[in-house]
């Protein structure tokens, strides 16, 4: 805090607790218990790691180029025209984004886009060709893959082929979810004419699963 005389550089030269102003600093930070905090950090480091970390180093800062994100926010949706001759063309699922609430955020100018949207169709086996996307930028920066399938995109596939791209999927288990970057979606109802249509008209007590999103 600005009101403290504590100099953090002192900790490089001597035991932190003996530095001038340290006790005052801890007193100013109300509710902070150093012993409890350090104990928790120790437990976190000792905990079992995920079976296949998706991107432990990937955050909204390291996997998103914020310099490309001017206001107002703009999103570029991949279209079949972008994928002519690309094996990923068979995987592209076109989403209707003409709703008034979405239309204002869509751009057809990739240089203006903050995010590149690619919605994955069912049983896609062409994700190893993701690097061929025209706006891939070498490692998937500012890309997001949307997958509504029950199986989703597993961690090994992501680690090998999808670079720094974010995922939005229903099957967002611990070993494949990157906190602060990915989006957890609700699963689609397979018998619905349109995604989520039947769910909207079905009262909770008649749904097969009571957990909804």
């Amino acid at each position: 805090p600005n009101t403290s005389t504590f100099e953090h550089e002192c900790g490089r030269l001597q035991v932190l607790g003996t530095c001038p102003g340290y006790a005052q600093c801890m007193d100013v930070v109300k509710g902070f218990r150093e012993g409890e905090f350090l104990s928790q950090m120790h437990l976190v480091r000792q905990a079992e790691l995920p079976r296949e970390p998706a991107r432990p180093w990937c955050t909204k800062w390291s996997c998103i180029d914020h310099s490309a994100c001017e206001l107002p926010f703009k999103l570029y949706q991949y279209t079949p025209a972008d994928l002519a001759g690309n094996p990923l063309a068979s995987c592209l699922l076109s989403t209707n984004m003409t709703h008034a609430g979405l239309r204002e955020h869509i751009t057809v100018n990739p240089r203006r886009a903050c995010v590149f949207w690619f919605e994955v169709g069912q049983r896609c086996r062409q994700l190893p060709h993701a690097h061929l996307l025209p706006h891939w930028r070498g490692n998937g920066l500012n890309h997001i893959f949307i997958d509504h399938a029950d199986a989703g995109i597993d961690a090994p596939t992501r680690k090998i082929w999808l670079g720094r791209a974010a995922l939005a999927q229903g099957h967002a288990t611990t070993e494949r979810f990157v906190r602060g970057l990915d989006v957890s979606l609700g699963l689609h109802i397979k018998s619905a004419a349109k995604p989520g249509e039947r769910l909207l008209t079905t009262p909770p007590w008649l749904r097969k699963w009571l957990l909804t999103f």
Side-chain angles (χ1 to χ4, degrees), residues 46-176:
Q46 296 299 316
E48 182 180 356
L49 293 174
R51 287 172 289 168
E52 181 66 42
R55 273 291 184 270
W57 46 264
C58 204
T59 69
K60 62 182 179 180
W61 304 111
S62 64
C63 290
I64 297 178
D65 178 10
H66 289 265
S67 66
C69 298
E70 300 177 7
L71 292 177
F73 172 83
K74 293 294 181 181
L75 178 148
Y76 183 92
Q77 181 185 19
Y78 275 107
T79 66
D82 293 316
L83 303 177
N86 190 318
L88 273 173
S90 62
C91 290
L92 182 65
L93 181 66
S94 296
T95 302
N96 185 357
M97 290 190 172
T98 58
H99 185 278
L102 294 173
R103 190 168 56 243
E104 63 180 291
H105 298 296
I106 305 300
T107 180
V108 295
N109 180 7
R111 293 187 177 183
R112 179 61 184 82
C114 172
V115 172
F116 294 88
W117 174 286
F118 190 103
E119 190 149 357
V120 181
Q122 294 284 340
R123 301 181 179 86
C124 175
R125 297 290 184 269
Q126 304 299 329
L127 290 179
H129 299 284
H131 67 284
L132 297 176
L133 289 171
H135 310 296
W136 189 243
R137 298 179 60 185
N139 56 12
L141 272 175
N142 293 42
H143 277 65
I144 181 167
F145 286 84
I146 298 86
D147 192 321
H148 295 287
D150 291 347
I153 299 172
D154 59 46
T157 297
R158 177 186 199 165
K159 187 174 183 179
I160 298 172
W161 306 115
L162 299 187
R164 295 177 184 251
L167 295 184
Q169 59 180 346
H171 198 124
T173 51
T174 302
E175 72 273 12
R176 64 176 73 178

Side-chain angles (χ1 to χ4, degrees), residues 187-209 212:
L187 296 174
H188 278 182
I189 293 182
K190 296 179 180 179
S191 58
K194 295 180 180 179
E197 186 177 75
R198 185 175 176 183
L199 183 62
L200 292 174
T201 59
T202 305
W205 53 89
L206 293 180
R207 297 175 187 173
K208 184 175 181 181
W209 309 106
T212 58

